[in-house]
């Protein structure tokens, strides 16, 4: 079967309303917290993507049943100590750093060792960033090369609370330690650089023992052992990271307008909106509301007449981390040179994304200057691609694939982009929505 797309030419103007797939971060957190609940939790609009299916399979291996139907997903939690499994268990986190890292937090008290594996991309990623702090609780780990998957976790029955300083702005690290804290008597204290706070908001909504003090540049989180997790019925809003591709496509298309419905606009995720507004893109939140602690809105975007370059403040990095690749396309069309810095974390993702940004932009004819953690992009407001471009061997990174599709539709050229199945990781309806925009 052909696992590539060919895109030949720009997209026509469009004026549409769309709904993108459910939020990946919230979907995985809902699965994991529901697996600890006393009773049945139900979710609507759960993202049915490979990362979330891997999460459901992981809890199944731990003895927790789930049922997915067209309209809803049910998880039959058996309480905080309800995991039941045989010896020699292996859990496959597939492509998902979020699943792998968060689940390890919940497994620090496991009575039998559990092996965790992942796909080729996940096996290249750093797991010592969670195994080191989780070992301080008392769990033990054996990692491949002391750093990565496959790993084995050996739980402890004598866990001690820890103090942890999360300096990267990584929500996965922070959440993994919060989950460790849920399992541990005494006060676990986390000082965390600001990052997405969905775990905290879900735990708070569930009345779990978590206290969050928000300071200017970091949060102080205190968590103690949870006694009970209530079942959680949740309607998952749409993912702003998936919306990002369509926000950029609209900004770069001429005379177009798009309304994206029911998007999670939690302020720890809206770096892309701040950045694009600074660059001159018109974006409006409509129908704003709060749902179970999260902020939701419809996002209205209009094509930008002219785009300004940006010297992007690093404080926006954590809240934009999954959107940089596609934002760089906007910088490619800006008047002047844009600068993005302190982006070390970008090379720690499903593929080394800063390296891929350079490759893609250069193929498009855009000049860049990169260091190991920064990129300068020399924008060209007249950019119009006429040549052939082939993109392959990017470790099946879903966001590399989708960024290239948006580049092709925005700037023209004849693109052959491999690994279209990668969209199944986070956004299975991506190509269908693109198709419908063209109707
Ligand atoms: C995620 C956190 C981010 C992000 C990832 C999802 C989460 O990773 O890149 O796609 O759901 O917690 P880091 O925490 O490693 O920055």
């Amino acid at each position: 079967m052909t696992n590539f797309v060919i895109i030949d030419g720009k997209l026509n103007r469009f004026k549409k309303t769309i709904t993108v797939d459910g939020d990946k971060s919230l979907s995985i957190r809902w699965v994991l917290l529901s697996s600890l609940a006393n009773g049945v939790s139900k979710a609507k609009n759960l993202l049915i993507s490979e990362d979330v299916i891997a999460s459901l399979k992981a809890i199944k291996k731990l003895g927790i049943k789930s049922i997915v139907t067209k309209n809803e997903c049910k998880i039959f939690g058996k309480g905080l100590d309800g995991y039941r499994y045989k010896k020699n268990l292996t859990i496959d986190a597939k492509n998902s750093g979020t699943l792998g890292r968060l689940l390890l937090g919940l497994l620090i008290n496991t009575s039998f060792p559990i092996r965790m594996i992942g796909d080729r991309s996940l096996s290249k990623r750093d797991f010592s960033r969670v195994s080191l702090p989780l070992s301080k609780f008392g769990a033990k780990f054996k990692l491949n090369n002391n750093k990565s998957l496959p790993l084995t976790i050996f739980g402890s029955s004598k866990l001690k609370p820890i103090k942890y300083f999360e300096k990267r702005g990584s929500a996965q690290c922070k959440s993994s330690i919060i989950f460790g804290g849920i399992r541990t008597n005494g006060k676990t204290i986390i000082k965390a650089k600001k990052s997405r706070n969905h775990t905290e908001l879900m735990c708070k909504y569930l009345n779990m023992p978590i206290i969050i003090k928000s300071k200017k540049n970091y949060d102080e989180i205190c968590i103690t052992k949870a006694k009970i997790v209530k079942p959680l019925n949740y309607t998952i809003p749409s993912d702003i990271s998936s919306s990002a591709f369509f926000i950029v496509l609209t900004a770069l298309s001429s005379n177009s307008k798009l309304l994206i419905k029911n998007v999670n606009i939690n302020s720890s995720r809206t770096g892309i909106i701040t950045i694009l507004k600074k660059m001159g893109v018109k974006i409006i939140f409509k129908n704003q509301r709060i749902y179970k602690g999260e902020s939701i809105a419809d996002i209205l975007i209009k094509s930008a007449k002219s785009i300004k370059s940006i010297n992007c403040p690093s404080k926006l990095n954590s809240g934009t981390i999954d959107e940089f690749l596609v934002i760089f396309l906007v910088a490619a069309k800006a008047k002047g040179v844009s600068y993005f810095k302190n982006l070390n974390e970008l090379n720690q993702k499903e593929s080394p994304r800063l390296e891929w940004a350079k490759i893609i932009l250069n193929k498009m004819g855009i000049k860049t200057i990169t260091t190991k953690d920064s990129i300068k992009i020399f924008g060209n407001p007249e950019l119009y691609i006429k040549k052939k471009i082939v993109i392959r061997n990017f470790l099946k990174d879903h966001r590399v694939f989708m960024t290239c599709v948006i580049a092709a539709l925005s700037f023209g050229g004849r693109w052959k982009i491999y690994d279209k199945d990668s969209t199944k990781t986070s956004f299975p309806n991506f190509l269908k929505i693109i198709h419908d925009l063209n109707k």
Side-chain angles (χ1 to χ4, degrees):
M1 213 183 72
T2 49
N3 192 15
F4 57 78
V5 291
I6 302 250
I7 302 177
D8 200 353
K10 289 169 50 159
L11 191 69
N12 294 327
R13 69 187 58 176
F14 54 87
K15 290 199 167 66
K16 296 258 167 154
T17 297
I18 60 167
T19 305
V20 306
D21 297 6
D23 187 298
K24 177 155 77 72
S25 293
L26 284 176
S27 295
I28 295 174
R29 283 160 174 78
W30 176 80
V31 170
L32 294 178
L33 280 167
S34 300
S35 77
L36 305 175
N38 276 73
V40 186
S41 299
K42 296 179 193 166
K44 291 204 186 317
N45 201 40
L46 188 76
L47 170 67
I48 303 297
S49 77
E50 282 177 352
D51 280 11
V52 182
I53 293 167
S55 308
L56 292 169
K57 284 189 176 156
I59 62 164
K60 184 171 180 205
K61 287 219 165 176
L62 294 163
I64 305 298
K65 186 176 132 187
S66 62
I67 299 177
V68 181
T69 58
K70 195 162 167 273
N71 297 321
E72 103 182 335
C73 174
K74 281 187 196 166
I75 291 182
F76 299 79
K78 295 187 200 157
L80 273 155
D81 297 315
Y83 289 170
R84 294 283 175 273
Y85 46 93
K86 297 197 188 103
K87 286 184 181 170
N88 299 322
L89 187 70
T90 297
I91 290 180
D92 189 350
K94 298 266 171 87
N95 189 248
S96 178
T98 306
L99 167 62
R101 291 172 177 147
L102 270 59
L103 184 58
L104 288 174
L106 294 179
L107 296 179
I108 56 171
N109 65 344
T110 171
S111 23
F112 306 127
I114 296 179
R115 201 169 119 88
M116 182 176 280
I117 58 171
D119 71 2
R120 194 166 142 242
S121 154
L122 193 65
S123 303
K124 288 181 187 289
R125 296 176 69 184
D126 174 23
F127 270 73
S128 65
R129 59 174 57 194
V130 289
S131 67
L132 290 173
L134 290 175
S135 327
K136 298 207 172 121
F137 283 107
K140 290 200 169 62
F141 290 84
K142 222 169 98 189
L143 293 97
N144 186 26
N145 291 325
N146 292 323
K147 183 132 193 195
S148 43
L149 301 182
L151 66 71
T152 305
I153 178 168
F154 304 82
S156 163
S157 54
K158 297 192 190 85
L159 297 169
K160 301 178 298 290
I162 67 166
K163 284 203 165 80
Y164 169 60
F165 186 12
E166 199 295 303
K167 297 178 188 162
R168 293 183 174 90
S170 162
Q172 292 179 357
C173 294
K174 173 177 69 177
S175 303
S176 181
I177 305 310
I178 292 176
F179 282 174
I182 287 176
R183 292 267 189 231
T184 309
N185 273 318
K187 279 188 189 170
T188 289
I189 293 169
I190 306 171
K191 179 176 168 181
K193 192 169 160 187
K194 299 271 182 192
S195 63
R196 65 188 72 190
N197 63 350
H198 308 303
T199 308
E200 295 92 304
L201 293 181
M202 256 190 203
C203 288
K204 254 178 97 170
Y205 180 77
L206 286 166
N207 278 325
M208 291 170 68
I210 185 166
I211 298 169
I212 301 132
K213 285 191 194 139
S214 184
K215 309 274 158 126
K216 189 160 176 274
N217 294 318
Y218 63 91
D219 289 335
E220 212 175 86
I221 301 162
C222 176
I223 180 129
T224 52
K225 186 168 176 163
K227 297 201 173 62
I228 186 166
V229 179
K230 289 184 296 184
L232 177 58
N233 293 341
Y234 208 102
T235 301
I236 310 278
S238 294
D239 198 323
I240 193 161
S241 300
S242 297
S243 306
F245 299 101
F246 292 96
I247 294 174
V248 167
L249 181 63
T250 311
L252 295 178
S253 302
S254 46
N255 292 315
S256 297
K257 198 165 130 181
L258 190 69
L259 184 69
I260 312 179
K261 300 282 283 178
N262 298 330
V263 184
N264 183 359
I265 53 149
N266 178 320
S267 60
S268 64
R269 298 280 298 278
T270 49
I272 178 170
I273 307 293
T274 312
I275 292 172
L276 294 190
K277 279 187 174 174
K278 279 181 196 283
M279 297 178 87
V281 181
K282 287 215 168 62
I283 304 177
I284 300 168
F285 290 154
K286 301 185 114 177
N287 190 17
Q288 275 196 57
R289 57 222 184 259
I290 300 291
Y291 176 76
K292 304 196 174 177
E294 296 285 350
S295 303
I296 300 179
D298 303 338
I299 306 182
L300 179 69
I301 313 105
K302 292 184 183 161
S303 312
K305 293 219 166 60
S306 67
I307 294 169
K308 289 180 274 188
S309 58
I310 187 171
N311 180 356
C312 185
S314 315
K315 68 168 193 295
L316 295 175
N317 286 359
S318 168
T320 318
I321 197 67
D322 290 340
E323 288 70 67
F324 276 113
L325 275 181
V326 78
I327 288 174
F328 294 160
L329 299 181
V330 183
K333 203 182 175 181
K335 189 164 184 284
V337 182
S338 296
Y339 183 39
F340 302 87
K341 55 193 175 294
N342 296 327
L343 279 176
N344 190 42
E345 280 296 298
L346 210 50
N347 275 335
Q348 309 294 322
K349 297 293 168 192
E350 287 84 328
S351 72
R353 287 190 184 150
L354 195 56
E355 289 171 24
W356 271 99
K358 179 182 163 61
I359 296 170
I360 298 163
L361 291 166
N362 293 170
K363 279 183 192 264
M364 287 165 45
I366 292 292
K367 181 179 158 191
T368 55
I369 299 178
T370 48
T371 65
K372 66 177 191 344
D373 69 349
S374 74
I375 184 163
K376 276 188 186 151
I377 300 171
F378 293 71
N380 172 6
E382 310 305 326
L383 179 63
Y384 186 76
I385 304 173
K386 293 198 188 88
K387 59 179 181 173
K388 281 188 183 168
I389 296 181
V390 178
I391 306 283
R392 64 196 311 172
N393 296 333
F394 46 87
L395 284 165
K396 301 189 184 356
D397 182 345
H398 49 135
R399 299 201 206 281
V400 168
F401 176 87
M402 293 188 277
T403 297
C404 291
V405 171
I406 300 302
L409 294 171
S410 305
F411 298 117
R414 184 180 157 83
W415 293 61
K416 183 173 187 181
I417 312 162
Y418 280 83
D419 292 323
K420 77 169 181 205
D421 278 357
S422 59
T423 55
K424 290 185 189 159
T425 303
S426 65
F427 193 179
N429 282 313
F430 174 74
L431 288 171
K432 181 178 181 303
I433 296 174
I434 296 271
H435 203 84
D436 291 350
L437 281 184
N438 229 349
K439 269 187 197 159

